[in-house]
Amino acid sequence: MRNEARQRGILRVYLGASPGVGKTFAMLDEGQRRAARGTDVVIGYVETHGRVHTEEQIGELEVIPRRSIEHKGTVHQEMDLDAVLVRHPEVVLVDELAHTNIPGAQNEKRWQDVEALLDAGICVITTVNIQHLESLNDVVESITGIRQQETVPDKVVRQADAIELTDMSPQALRRRMAHGNIYAPDKVDAALSQFFREGNLTALRELALLWLADRVDEGLDRYRDQHGIDSTWAARERIVVAVTGGPESEVLLRRAARIASRIGGGEWLALYVTRGDGLVQMDPARLHKLHVMTEDMGGTFHTVVGDDPATAILEFAKAENATQVLIGASRRGRISTLANPGIGEIVISESGDIDVHIVTHDQARRKHRNIRGTPELSRRRLAYGYAMGALGPLVLSALLLATPDFHGLPTESMLYMALVVATAITGGLRPAIVSAFVSGFALNFFFTPPFHRLTVASGENAFALVLFVIVAIAVSSVVDLAARRTVQAEKASAEADALTVLSHSLLHAGDMRTLLASACELFGMRGAAIIGTDGEITIGYGAPIPNLDAADVSVKVDDESHLALIGRSLAAADQRLLKAYAAHASVLGERRRAMKASSERRVLEETDRTRTALLAAVSHDLRSPLAAVKAAVSSLRNDQIAWSPEDEETLLATVEEGADRLDDLVANLLDMSRLQMGAINAHVDEVELEATIQTALSSLVGRERVDTDVADDAALVVADAGLLERVVANLAGNALAYASADSRVRVDASAAGTRALIRVIDTGPGVPLDQRERLFEPFQRLGDVPRGEGIGLGLAVARGLTEAMGGTLTVEDTPGGGLTFVLDLPLTGTVLDGGQT
């Protein structure tokens, strides 16, 4: 009996970042390999775009004839779906998955044709570019300025049985384009300056790699689920940061973003665990703020339900195949942590092969924030110590009296001694002395004969009691001294850390405001400022300090200023560290003054260099046309020579040419002076580009060698007509000067999104890549020293005027040799100066 349930075909997709990377060639190569192995392979539809190597790759493969469809008086060719279904091969090659079929075809989209083939049990190999995926349409438009009209749903590609990335570096792809291996030669220049810009190609390539990486992650997750694998596979660094909604949450999110940014291909996820009883733990507005902050920094925000936060965090991390977990340091005290381990301790103990980072924050340090100003022993510790010293011996005595058969006087003495030592550890020396005397009284009264009396029958026992008190006091003194030395060591460590931070910031050019913030943090102050001897506040941080007298503490920075702080008085021991801050502030001040002097010196040097270059240029380039004009005029005024009309015309032309050169030179000098002074004011309006270009070219010598082509969609731009004429004239004049006498210069314009791209293309000698930015510096004439005319200001003026109009001027290679200047200006409809043009 025939099985009516036909098995679905296998879909293989060749994914590319842009046209020209070789997807169709790879698809045909795969078809050739399968045909060589005896598989029945046919070509349903292949678009070669006239590329010779792609057409050769078809070889002996069978091609299903296309179907002709007439639409609006034009005959179009589409894949004949019915013919492929009747032929029913094992594998069919179908190019351009996102293609929209001509009305009259069986399906609206080619991906629907592919679905029909798969449902019929035919395996399909197809191609698609990353910019045609529906979910990435807006992203691609923001990158390239072009919205793709033909798209394919992501799920169609995601459900493919195999996806293979056809990759090529942007530089190699642009070389292919320049060599004519992708588009026809007449389309190369426009393509290189629009869609095929190196930045566009790099961004699209990254999109393709990231999209495919997500697809690989989905496959990895399915495999792990199918095989019951719970352990982490660190194929990619993935960081989970747990937030509680408290003030420290922002610190944790920023730390996770910084860690992920240092890891190539790493990603991070913020996690908030809500209670299972439905009670709200965080203000919804606060939750929304953290959500937005996470997405702004490149992460994703997730919320899960769990009664045990530690377990929920670990389960989520393992489900996401995370390699690192970030948790804020606990705000609970040490004693409560020992009695009941917190989330951090549980996560660390049960994390397995997941790395756990405990991140400190202000809330965790709140109790120890002002380590310089806290007493050596807090009042609470002293209270606990006195309570232990007074009541502890009585409690111990009651326990010993209840168990008289289990101990003797030596054991009882050692137990009281241990109590004294514990009191010294808790409250210091004074509570320990109290404990020693109370313990001695209890030992005498309850356990030394005669019992229940404050007398001692034996002299040996009396000596033992005295010795007990002396030893107890001595031991408690040692313990107290050790505790206080520990506190002093912590202070010294904090001071050393502060000095280390100061030294590090000094070596790495820290700023004064950071220094003041650090001082406030270390000393527990509300505000800090640098105040001059005249009362002027140079810079401040935190709470304002109106004058030097209002400061709680101040220290001299130099002869002209003081470092002042407000918040509390400082102990004498803190003065040394405060002076270190003052010394650092002095160094920062000296550095700032030195940088200012260096900047002023550079300005003077640049002015001197400009003046020298200007004088050198003027001495030659102004004198040459003046000499020519003077010679021509002197000749015309010489009565001893009878000039023919032709000679007079030649001499007058010389005068006119020299005057024009002088006019151009002076105009460029004036423009450069205005640009350097910021006195250029562009009056932008709607400008007809074709007419402006023709006007700019009309005054150029050799204008008959210039070809122009302005696309209809770039006919109107937003610019200053006069400035735009100067820019085009300077660029075209430069191209004519450096192109060979028998070559032509091309000026064309096209639209790219909301911008117009005006290209001035020459086939001259070109300029090395490392020297191109020098083209736009004043008084630069790269390669034109033997024959150069002008003083090297034309391109500098062109860029300055372009930027004044809100545009950009860049330079790139001309395919085949030469330079192409690209002038980028907004098209009409762009909002400028608050109005609609």
Side-chain angles (χ1 to χ4, degrees), residues 491-522:
K491 292 181 178 180
S493 176
E495 184 173 318
D497 290 342
L499 292 174
T500 300
V501 171
L502 282 176
S503 302
H504 184 272
S505 61
L506 181 61
L507 290 174
H508 293 80
D511 60 88
M512 192 73 75
R513 187 172 180 82
T514 302
L515 175 73
L516 297 179
S518 176
C520 289
E521 175 74 18
L522 182 69

Side-chain angles (χ1 to χ4, degrees), residues 579-736:
K579 289 180 179 179
Y581 271 84
H584 187 77
S586 176
V587 172
L588 287 179
E590 289 292 337
R591 173 177 292 168
R592 187 172 61 251
R593 287 189 288 272
M595 292 176 62
K596 182 179 179 181
S598 176
S599 177
E600 292 174 350
R601 185 172 60 254
R602 285 196 299 270
V603 171
L604 291 175
E605 290 175 352
E606 181 65 22
T607 302
D608 186 64
R609 187 186 72 83
T610 302
R611 184 183 297 110
T612 301
L614 177 61
L615 291 174
V618 169
S619 65
H620 174 270
D621 294 291
L622 288 181
R623 186 173 297 173
S624 297
L626 280 173
V629 170
K630 182 178 179 181
V633 172
S634 299
S635 299
L636 287 172
R637 297 186 61 186
N638 192 336
D639 298 334
Q640 299 178 2
I641 302 176
W643 300 104
S644 66
E646 292 79 8
D647 293 335
E648 289 184 358
E649 183 63 28
T650 300
L651 291 172
L652 289 173
T654 301
V655 173
E656 184 179 11
E657 181 181 351
D660 288 341
R661 288 178 57 190
L662 286 172
D663 182 64
D664 290 340
L665 292 173
V666 172
N668 279 334
L669 284 170
L670 291 175
D671 283 341
M672 180 53 60
S673 175
R674 292 163 61 201
L675 285 169
Q676 290 181 340
M677 294 177 62
I680 292 288
N681 293 319
H683 302 285
V684 297
D685 200 351
E686 184 178 278
V687 175
E688 187 177 348
L689 191 54
E690 176 71 29
T692 304
I693 292 176
Q694 294 302 329
T695 303
L697 299 178
S698 62
S699 61
L700 295 180
V701 177
R703 55 185 176 275
E704 66 279 357
R705 293 165 44 209
V706 181
D707 300 322
T708 61
D709 181 16
V710 178
D712 292 339
D713 54 0
L716 297 175
V717 297
V718 177
D720 183 307
L723 298 185
L724 182 56
E725 283 184 19
R726 292 296 311 280
V727 172
V728 174
N730 282 4
L731 295 178
N734 180 80
L736 288 170

Side-chain angles (χ1 to χ4, degrees), residues 141-430:
E141 182 182 12
S142 66
I143 294 171
T144 64
I146 301 172
R147 187 169 188 84
Q148 300 296 329
Q149 301 301 320
E150 296 185 329
T151 60
V152 59
D154 287 49
K155 67 176 182 179
V156 174
V157 183
R158 285 185 178 275
Q159 292 172 358
D161 300 276
I163 302 176
E164 184 167 335
L165 180 67
T166 307
D167 191 31
M168 181 177 292
S169 70
Q171 296 81 6
L173 186 57
R174 284 174 59 85
R175 284 196 298 271
R176 286 198 66 201
M177 173 68 72
H179 294 157
N181 293 332
I182 300 177
Y183 292 159
D186 60 335
K187 297 181 180 179
V188 169
D189 291 335
L192 286 175
S193 60
Q194 295 182 38
F195 187 88
F196 283 81
R197 291 181 177 181
E198 186 169 334
N200 290 356
L201 298 178
T202 302
L204 292 173
R205 188 187 191 196
E206 182 178 14
L207 275 180
L209 291 170
L210 291 175
W211 190 90
L212 187 59
D214 289 339
R215 175 68 169 76
V216 173
D217 277 346
E218 293 173 4
L220 181 61
D221 290 341
R222 284 197 301 269
Y223 179 85
R224 295 173 72 239
D225 289 341
Q226 292 169 1
H227 292 79
I229 300 173
D230 294 328
S231 60
T232 299
W233 284 8
R236 179 199 292 195
E237 289 291 338
R238 187 175 282 111
I239 304 164
V240 171
V241 52
V243 296
T244 62
E248 75 279 2
S249 298
E250 288 88 347
V251 176
L252 297 177
L253 294 178
R254 293 189 184 97
R255 179 64 60 85
R258 288 198 298 271
I259 294 175
S261 67
R262 301 188 189 108
I263 303 171
E267 62 177 289
W268 64 282
L269 307 87
L271 174 65
Y272 173 67
V273 180
T274 186
R275 291 167 52 168
D277 55 13
L279 296 178
V280 178
Q281 297 170 277
M282 190 196 307
D283 180 31
R286 174 72 174 162
L287 187 65
H288 176 71
K289 179 181 178 182
L290 294 179
H291 195 156
V292 173
M293 182 179 178
T294 300
E295 293 184 346
D296 288 344
M297 292 190 293
T300 57
F301 196 89
H302 304 265
T303 302
V304 298
V305 177
D307 293 324
D308 183 1
T311 302
I313 292 170
L314 288 173
E315 289 178 351
F316 179 82
K318 292 177 181 178
E320 294 293 334
N321 199 27
T323 57
Q324 302 180 48
V325 171
L326 265 67
I327 299 176
S330 176
R331 288 178 282 181
R332 302 164 61 205
R334 294 185 178 91
I335 296 177
S336 60
T337 301
L338 291 174
N340 182 21
I343 295 175
E345 288 76 12
I346 298 176
V347 171
I348 291 174
S349 64
E350 300 180 6
S351 62
D353 52 1
I354 300 176
D355 296 332
V356 180
H357 302 269
I358 303 297
V359 181
T360 59
H361 49 82
D362 290 343
Q363 300 302 311
R365 297 196 301 267
R366 175 173 291 178
K367 292 186 296 185
H368 313 287
R369 187 168 184 173
N370 181 19
I371 62 172
R372 303 293 305 171
T374 54
E376 293 185 354
L377 292 176
S378 65
R379 293 181 179 179
R380 178 177 295 181
R381 284 189 61 180
L382 288 174
Y384 286 157
Y386 280 117
M388 184 179 294
L391 301 178
L394 301 180
V395 175
L396 179 59
S397 299
L399 293 175
L400 294 176
L401 290 173
T403 57
D405 298 334
F406 296 99
H407 47 77
L409 182 60
T411 302
E412 295 158 356
S413 300
M414 293 305 298
L415 289 174
Y416 280 110
M417 179 67 70
L419 179 61
V420 173
V421 172
T423 304
I425 294 174
T426 303
L429 179 60
R430 293 178 182 177

